Amino acid sequence: MEQIAWYRRDVLRGLSVIAGAAILGGSATPASAQQVKYSSGTEPPKLRVPANACDCHHHIYGSQYKVDPRSILRPGDATVDDYRGACRSASAPAATSSSSPRPTAPKTPRRSTRSLHLVRARGPLSWSELKRMQGLGARGIRFNLAQAGATTPEMIEPLSKRVNDLGWHIQINASPETIMEIMPILEKVPSPIVFDHLAHIPEPDGINHPLFGKVRALIDKGKTWVKLSGAYADTKVGPPTYADSSAIARAYVKAAPERLVWGSDWPHPGVRDPDPKPDDAILIDLMLDWAPNEAVRNRIFVDNATALYDFPKS
C-alpha cells in the first residue's frame, strides 16, 4: 500500500462558517455571491449542516506529486487551501498520483478541524507500518477499479483480512459491471465495506437493477456503508434534480439511514472539460430531498461519519 492522502492535521480552512464561499452552508449570510473553485455555482446552499458534519469524500491534487502514467484523470491542482468544506473530512486517495504527498500545509490556529484519510493499495506493508499510518489518520483502503491502476480485485480479500483487526474498512469505486463481478469476493470479506457514489447503480434501471438488491443485501448484514455522493456520476437526467440518482438515494435513506455518509466529491475529477463542474450548493441541497427529516440528515452528516471514521463524539 502507498499513503497518498494528507495526514491528519489542522489544515482545512475555517470552512463551515464561510457561507459565501463554502461547499457546506454556514451560519453567516454572504455579503455577495462568490465563485467556488471547481464549482459552477456562486450562491451558498440553502441547507445549513450541523456542527461536526463530515465531508466523507473529497480529493486533494497537487502538481508537485508524480503522476501515475496509467491514470486517465489529470485534474488541475486542488489544494487544501482551495477546499472549502466541512469541519471534518475524509479524503479519498487520488488515482492520478503515484507518489506520496507530504503534509506541507500550515496549521490553522484559530479553528481546529480534523481530517482522516484512506490509503491506496499498492503492495504489502508491515504491521508496524499499518499502525503508524493509523496513528496518522488512515482508516481504510480504497480500491479504485474504475480505471487501470495500482489496485486489482485479487487484492481485496487478503487486504481486507489484514486491516480488519485495525478497524479499517475497504472502499470500492468501480463500474456496476465490475461490482457485480467482484460481488462473490465482497460477500465474504471480513472488514466493513464502503461503496462510493451510491454504489454506481446503473440508470435508467435504478433500484430495479440487480446491483441495488446485492448492495442492499450487504447493507442488511450490518457492515456495509454507502456514500451519498456523486449524484452526477451515473445520472441520465442531470441537474438540478438529478431525479434518477435522487430516487436511489431516497431508497437508501428509507432502507438504512444508519449505513449512509455524505460526500461532496470535490473537485469532481470525473467531470472533465468541456463539461461544466457541478454546482456544489445544489449537491448539498439535494439532502433536503434525499433525507427530509432533519434528525436523519444529522445522523448521516455527523453520527454515521463519527462511527465509520472513528472521530471523537464531541
Side-chain angles (χ1 to χ4, degrees):
M1 282 174 289
E2 178 186 18
Q3 170 70 21
I4 64 166
W6 293 91
Y7 296 150
R8 183 181 65 214
R9 296 180 61 150
D10 294 336
V11 295
L12 301 180
R13 293 296 183 187
L15 309 178
S16 60
V17 298
I18 311 175
I23 292 173
L24 300 187
S27 57
T29 300
S32 60
Q34 301 180 44
Q35 180 67 48
V36 179
K37 192 172 183 179
Y38 297 110
S39 177
S40 63
T42 59
E43 298 297 327
K46 299 178 180 68
L47 176 62
R48 295 180 179 181
V49 301
N52 289 327
C54 182
D55 182 349
C56 294
H57 193 102
H58 72 88
H59 307 274
I60 298 297
Y61 294 99
S63 56
Q64 69 269 38
Y65 309 129
K66 185 178 179 181
V67 172
D68 189 325
R70 294 166 294 186
S71 172
I72 60 175
L73 295 179
R74 305 294 175 92
D77 284 6
T79 67
V80 171
D81 285 346
D82 293 327
Y83 174 74
R84 303 293 180 89
C87 62
R88 289 175 168 177
S89 74
S91 59
T96 300
S97 176
S98 64
S99 61
S100 302
R102 296 293 183 260
T104 56
K107 293 183 179 181
T108 54
R110 296 183 61 187
R111 185 173 180 86
S112 176
T113 61
R114 185 175 182 187
S115 182
L116 297 179
H117 312 281
L118 303 181
V119 298
R120 181 175 60 181
R122 183 172 282 274
L125 278 179
S126 67
W127 184 255
S128 61
E129 180 66 2
L130 288 170
K131 291 288 289 184
R132 184 187 72 84
M133 293 169 72
Q134 183 175 36
L136 293 168
R139 291 297 183 271
I141 303 175
R142 189 183 193 221
F143 291 86
N144 188 353
L145 305 175
Q147 57 180 298
T151 56
T152 65
E154 292 73 25
M155 301 166 70
I156 294 175
E157 188 173 9
L159 286 174
S160 172
K161 292 178 179 177
R162 186 158 179 76
V163 303
N164 187 51
D165 288 343
L166 291 169
W168 291 18
H169 59 269
I170 60 170
Q171 182 171 311
I172 305 296
N173 183 54
S175 69
E177 294 80 14
T178 299
I179 296 176
M180 288 294 286
E181 289 173 4
I182 65 173
M183 192 59 68
I185 299 174
L186 299 178
E187 289 171 344
K188 62 181 180 180
V189 296
S191 69
I193 303 166
V194 179
F195 285 104
D196 287 354
H197 310 325
L198 304 173
H200 288 291
I201 306 300
E203 299 295 355
D205 291 349
I207 62 174
N208 295 316
H209 192 279
L211 179 57
F212 182 78
K214 292 282 189 179
V215 174
R216 275 292 320 277
L218 287 176
I219 292 173
D220 290 344
K221 290 182 178 179
K223 64 176 185 178
T224 295
W225 304 71
V226 172
K227 290 186 179 182
L228 299 182
S229 62
Y232 47 82
D234 300 287
T235 185
K236 303 296 184 185
V237 176
T241 64
Y242 299 99
D244 45 3
S245 296
S246 292
I248 294 171
R250 288 193 300 268
Y252 281 132
V253 172
K254 181 179 179 180
E258 74 283 1
R259 283 290 178 265
L260 306 174
V261 293
W262 179 85
S264 67
D265 195 32
W266 184 91
H268 316 295
V271 181
R272 306 179 206 177
D273 294 336
D275 292 338
K277 293 291 188 180
D279 184 332
D280 284 290
I282 287 176
L283 294 180
I284 184 63
D285 282 342
L286 287 174
M287 283 294 288
L288 291 168
D289 172 50
W290 295 355
N293 182 281
E294 183 179 12
V296 172
R297 281 200 309 271
N298 291 351
R299 181 172 191 172
I300 294 168
F301 278 126
V302 181
D303 299 339
N304 293 351
T306 297
L308 179 60
Y309 294 104
D310 192 30
F311 283 115
K313 293 186 177 180
S314 62

